[in-house]
Amino acid sequence: MFRKMTFGQSESSAATEKTIIGQSAVVVGNIVSQDLVQLKGHVVGNIDVNGSPNAQLSVLSQAHVEGDINAQQAVVNGVVTGNIESTGRVELHSGADVKGNISYATMAIEHGAKLYGMMSSNHVKPL
């Protein structure tokens, strides 16, 4: 009910907002967020999670995405049928099943993850 705040900290920066799409939910349409998104259900549409340093999409083990993902950080442990583009880190955990291409700055792949597509680094090296 009440949040503990530190002196000089605004209410908006006190806690990062989190959106949870439940296991029984089916979303038909695009999702746009600037914070944390946890997906347990099914999305038919594109997902865009960018805008803040903590922006992250988590596709949990029971989740399914049919569409493209554009996220600052993407953690996948479910099924994604579409491309993943990230300006930050992409993690494929053991339950991940991705059918599409992945563009990333940094990448981690756990044993057992499946990728049917190409990976390409978009990390720009300094001169």
Side-chain angles (χ1 to χ4, degrees):
M1 184 166 155
F2 294 100
R3 265 188 253 168
K4 181 179 178 183
M5 292 183 57
T6 306
F7 179 77
Q9 186 178 38
S10 70
E11 186 176 294
S12 62
S13 66
T16 301
E17 295 293 322
K18 183 188 294 187
T19 301
I20 299 174
I21 299 172
Q23 189 170 354
S24 63
V26 176
V27 176
V28 179
N30 298 332
I31 295 173
V32 178
S33 178
Q34 294 183 1
D35 294 305
L36 298 173
V37 176
Q38 285 187 346
L39 176 61
K40 298 178 182 182
H42 190 131
V43 173
V44 179
N46 299 327
I47 302 174
D48 188 325
V49 181
N50 283 294
S52 76
N54 297 322
Q56 177 178 306
L57 171 67
S58 296
V59 180
L60 302 179
S61 62
Q62 58 274 39
H64 190 131
V65 176
E66 295 178 55
D68 293 336
I69 293 172
N70 184 337
Q72 192 160 325
Q73 310 285 334
V75 178
V76 180
N77 202 14
V79 176
V80 175
T81 304
N83 298 321
I84 300 172
E85 185 174 337
S86 174
T87 56
R89 183 175 176 86
V90 175
E91 296 179 16
L92 299 183
H93 290 271
S94 63
D97 187 347
V98 179
K99 295 173 182 72
N101 299 324
I102 299 176
S103 174
Y104 60 90
T106 60
M107 181 85 181
I109 303 174
E110 194 173 63
H111 180 75
K114 297 174 188 166
L115 171 63
Y116 304 95
M118 298 181 65
M119 297 185 326
S120 62
S121 173
N122 59 22
H123 182 68
V124 179
K125 295 179 183 175
L127 296 173

